[in-house]
Amino acid sequence: MKAPIRAALILAFVAALGVLSAGAQGTVDRAKVLRAAADALGMVRWSDIGTTTTRLPGIDIVNTMEFRGGEYHVTLGYNPPAMRVEMTRTGPDGRAAQHTIQTVRDSYAWDESETGAGLVPGKGTATPAIAAVKERLLQLWTLPYGVVKAALAAGDKTTVSTEGGATVMTFPLSGQLAGITVKATLDSNNLVTRVETRSDNPALANLATQTEYSNYADRAEVLTDIKSPGRIVRRQGGRTILDIEVKAWETNNPYLVFPVPANVKSAATANSR
Amino acid sequence: MRVLACSRIMAAAAALCLLAATVVAQQGPPARRTNNAPPKPSGATPRTADGHPDLTGVWNGLGDNLNGVPNQIANNGVIIESESSARDLHNGQPVAVFSRNTNRGQNNEEGERAASLLRRSGSNRPIYKPEYWEMVKYNDHNANEEDPSNNCMPAGVPRGAIPSYISQHPNYVMFIYPGQGGLIATQTMYRMIPTDGRQHTPLQELDGTYTGESIGRWEGDTFVVDSWGFNANTWFDQIGGYFHSENMHVIERFRREGNTLTWTATVEDPDVLLEPWTTTPRVQLLNPQPNAMLPESQPCSERDLAHIVTKEHH
């Protein structure tokens, strides 16, 4: 074999090895980063209590949660994906406080006149809000736990990089939120501290947000070793749209349910025709 | 040549060591299961003279003690199929699986918290009327004090789920649920379920009891137990704070296939539930020992509750 050909083959072999190595490294890094992020939040858990015959692997344990801060009360769940946001905003110039309950589950969104409105005859009113599905679901999936779950679900589409010394995960959302990309920054403890969403689709431009999470601790009444942020600041178009000092964050998969009122289902069906 | 001989000796020694290790491994304790998938049935389904599947037997083959206390993790509604796959048993949604962190073990407190979370992570929850949502949450948060079955009271129905012993007769079936000590202390409970075609006593004529009035019937190979006439002193399960009214109606279904018994219960309680609720199926194995017996149930004497300092519910 002539020397130039041999050299070219060696070069190609080394290059191929490099590509394979980089690919393998990327996979390992992604898995490690996702695991570290899930561990930091306390999401990965296993238990042998009640059994001496099994040694089960860990699973993602987060499903339902509830947190309060100021006049902001949120209940949420990831299976099924659902969120109920209750706000009381005092009007400027002494105007009466405005109380709203905004709920979403799967592909349904509605406003409630009281918690659980529209489920029992004569108990409040549920007003369909189909156009709000994406915006409300985005709040759920950009919470730290939602970020880790969505990054895991995105599989190979999740990329991991380093920016300014910080680890960054970037991944696309799917389902109702297809077309939106999430960029999540981890701190040195692997906790999600900053989440940015963007879309190349102009129709989804209003869903571009930046949310910062800080002051993590286990602040649940029933301690769970799950870490939750103590402060949430969300910005949109440079304007702060949310700033919450969290007082309590119940993480023990509490009883939280989100049944869809019949009139909301009917409205969604009619809208899809 | 000397090198070759030496290599052969070393190889032979290594083989002997491997053989010895294999023998030790075979004599050691069995490997722990790394999944909680319901067991697949094996063997034939025995039948009684009238042609129905014979449910008679000691049903504690999957329990972790002789009283047949069900594997709590297997009952939480999340099925771990392998070390890389898990899903919610109710709606099939995938659940992320991770290897155990071998760098750091869990102390007892952390283990209890993990167990508490695991058992609440499934999606199958009864849907109460909105006015009771806070009450259910309160019950669950304060279950150490609020759980009516603590302090040695009966578990009731449907909480008893699969009895540890079933005795099937032509006109009735007997269920026995041995009591257990510890913080989940419950009293021994039994149910005598007629299968003679009788009808329920009108509800208003019954005094509410822990196990209610149960009547059995066969739907094909499924044994159906229809119960009402309960008091309101039990919960649907050990976790969740799922209370009920005296108007609860429970329909349990037992199906034997080979050495497995599968149970579900549908709870109707229009006083408090928005809609009927069906439990996640539970599967129990027949005790494989032909001479299996139920041991004496532990005397129920609650001594731990006063010393509990956290809210974790066991």
Side-chain angles (χ1 to χ4, degrees):
Chain A
M1 192 179 288
K2 288 181 179 175
I5 297 173
R6 191 184 301 144
L9 281 174
I10 290 170
L11 201 62
F13 180 68
V14 170
L17 268 182
V19 169
L20 284 173
S21 171
Q25 187 66 39
T27 304
V28 170
D29 284 348
R30 180 171 55 240
K32 277 186 177 173
V33 167
L34 285 170
R35 171 66 190 255
D39 270 337
L41 289 168
M43 294 172 70
V44 183
R45 308 296 280 279
W46 59 85
S47 174
D48 292 326
I49 288 200
T51 168
T52 56
T53 56
T54 55
R55 185 176 171 80
L56 303 174
I59 61 170
D60 167 11
I61 204 65
V62 170
N63 187 1
T64 55
M65 296 182 152
E66 173 176 25
F67 66 91
R68 294 173 189 273
E71 300 301 326
Y72 199 77
H73 176 210
V74 177
T75 56
L76 61 99
Y78 286 98
N79 184 16
M83 194 171 194
R84 178 177 286 113
V85 179
E86 187 174 355
M87 281 180 291
T88 305
R89 283 184 170 145
T90 306
D93 309 325
R95 275 183 287 174
Q98 186 187 12
H99 181 237
T100 60
I101 304 175
Q102 300 177 339
T103 309
V104 65
R105 173 180 166 169
D106 297 316
S107 55
Y108 304 102
W110 66 101
D111 297 334
E112 299 176 338
S113 61
E114 60 185 90
T115 302
L119 295 169
V120 176
K123 297 275 187 180
T125 306
T127 307
I130 298 161
V133 169
K134 287 182 168 57
E135 180 194 344
R136 295 181 188 181
L137 281 178
L138 191 65
Q139 293 181 48
L140 179 69
W141 291 107
T142 52
L143 284 169
Y145 319 96
V147 164
V148 174
K149 286 171 182 281
L152 282 162
D156 292 348
K157 292 175 183 165
T158 297
T159 60
V160 173
S161 59
T162 304
E163 289 185 15
T167 303
V168 173
M169 305 187 297
T170 306
F171 54 91
L173 294 175
S174 57
Q176 293 280 330
L177 297 175
I180 297 171
T181 301
V182 175
K183 179 179 166 187
T185 306
L186 308 183
D187 68 8
S188 57
N189 294 316
N190 297 307
L191 290 162
V192 176
T193 55
R194 182 178 170 84
V195 179
E196 297 170 68
T197 57
R198 62 179 167 74
S199 174
D200 296 331
N201 182 351
L204 302 176
N206 64 323
L207 299 181
T209 59
Q210 303 86 41
T211 311
E212 287 169 11
Y213 301 100
S214 57
N215 190 22
Y216 278 89
D218 184 351
R219 45 177 55 80
E221 185 187 9
V222 180
L223 292 175
T224 59
D225 301 321
I226 290 178
K227 299 285 188 292
S228 55
R231 188 169 182 211
I232 304 173
V233 179
R234 181 172 297 135
R235 297 186 181 87
Q236 192 172 42
R239 191 169 63 93
T240 301
I241 56 172
L242 194 72
D243 189 343
I244 306 172
E245 291 285 347
V246 176
K247 301 298 179 199
W249 196 307
E250 296 303 330
T251 52
N252 193 34
N253 288 326
Y255 179 77
L256 300 167
V257 289
F258 307 86
V260 183
N263 70 309
V264 174
K265 283 185 181 171
S266 301
T269 304
N271 189 58
S272 66
R273 281 184 191 141
Chain B
M1 183 65 79
R2 190 174 296 163
V3 171
L4 185 61
C6 190
S7 297
R8 281 177 181 162
I9 291 167
M10 285 175 69
L16 276 173
C17 284
L18 271 177
L19 184 64
T22 306
V23 170
V24 169
Q26 284 172 350
Q27 289 172 343
R32 290 181 173 185
R33 290 170 58 213
T34 54
N35 68 71
N36 70 351
K40 297 275 188 291
S42 68
T45 303
R47 291 184 181 271
T48 56
D50 55 12
H52 297 304
D54 191 354
L55 308 184
T56 299
V58 179
W59 291 98
N60 61 7
L62 201 63
D64 290 295
N65 64 33
L66 290 174
N67 280 329
V69 176
N71 180 325
Q72 296 171 354
I73 304 305
N75 288 335
N76 73 2
V78 174
I79 177 173
I80 300 173
E81 295 160 313
S82 70
E83 294 189 60
S84 60
S85 170
R87 63 184 165 85
D88 187 282
L89 202 51
H90 180 59
N91 62 13
Q93 282 296 307
V95 176
V97 185
F98 303 84
S99 60
R100 281 176 177 242
N101 185 349
T102 51
N103 298 326
R104 182 178 156 276
Q106 287 184 144
N107 61 32
N108 285 346
E109 196 171 61
E110 291 167 331
E112 284 171 2
R113 288 173 186 166
S116 176
L117 284 162
L118 279 157
R119 297 167 66 207
R120 287 169 177 77
S121 64
S123 68
N124 187 16
R125 299 181 172 191
I127 306 297
Y128 282 82
K129 292 180 176 177
E131 60 263 41
Y132 298 114
W133 290 354
E134 285 300 318
M135 185 173 168
V136 176
K137 203 162 57 181
Y138 173 87
N139 283 347
D140 194 29
H141 274 215
N142 299 282
N144 287 338
E145 296 83 22
E146 299 295 335
D147 184 344
S149 292
N150 281 347
N151 288 309
C152 303
M153 300 306 284
V157 177
R159 181 166 168 174
I162 298 178
S164 295
Y165 179 69
I166 298 176
S167 178
Q168 186 169 328
H169 305 270
N171 286 322
Y172 69 95
V173 176
M174 197 80 189
F175 287 177
I176 296 179
Y177 308 76
Q180 39 187 308
L183 189 58
I184 49 172
T186 53
Q187 192 183 92
T188 293
M189 190 171 83
Y190 62 85
R191 300 164 73 188
M192 188 170 182
I193 301 164
T195 53
D196 55 5
R198 73 179 69 179
Q199 300 297 304
H200 268 304
T201 307
L203 189 58
Q204 60 273 21
E205 293 178 20
L206 289 170
D207 287 329
T209 59
Y210 284 92
T211 55
E213 181 187 71
S214 298
I215 291 175
R217 67 176 187 273
W218 288 92
E219 289 182 0
D221 282 351
T222 301
F223 185 53
V224 180
V225 182
D226 188 302
S227 307
W228 72 8
F230 296 100
N231 62 30
N233 299 341
T234 62
W235 285 357
F236 294 169
D237 204 347
Q238 190 184 331
I239 57 104
Y242 303 142
F243 71 99
H244 61 84
S245 78
E246 293 181 349
N247 287 325
M248 177 174 71
H249 176 207
V250 181
I251 301 154
E252 296 164 276
R253 288 182 167 79
F254 296 83
R255 188 173 180 87
R256 177 171 185 173
E257 291 174 282
N259 63 339
T260 64
L261 188 62
T262 302
W263 169 91
T264 60
T266 298
V267 180
E268 299 169 355
D269 192 344
D271 286 3
V272 299
L273 293 182
L274 207 55
E275 57 195 42
W277 175 65
T278 298
T279 64
T280 301
R282 294 187 187 180
V283 181
Q284 184 56 279
L285 276 176
L286 187 70
N287 191 311
Q289 302 298 328
N291 56 351
M293 301 281 286
L294 278 188
E296 177 181 308
S297 59
Q298 301 162 29
C300 194
S301 174
E302 179 53 62
R303 291 181 289 258
D304 294 336
L305 203 52
H307 307 293
I308 298 289
V309 293
T310 65
K311 283 186 169 292
E312 286 88 319
H313 190 36
H314 302 246

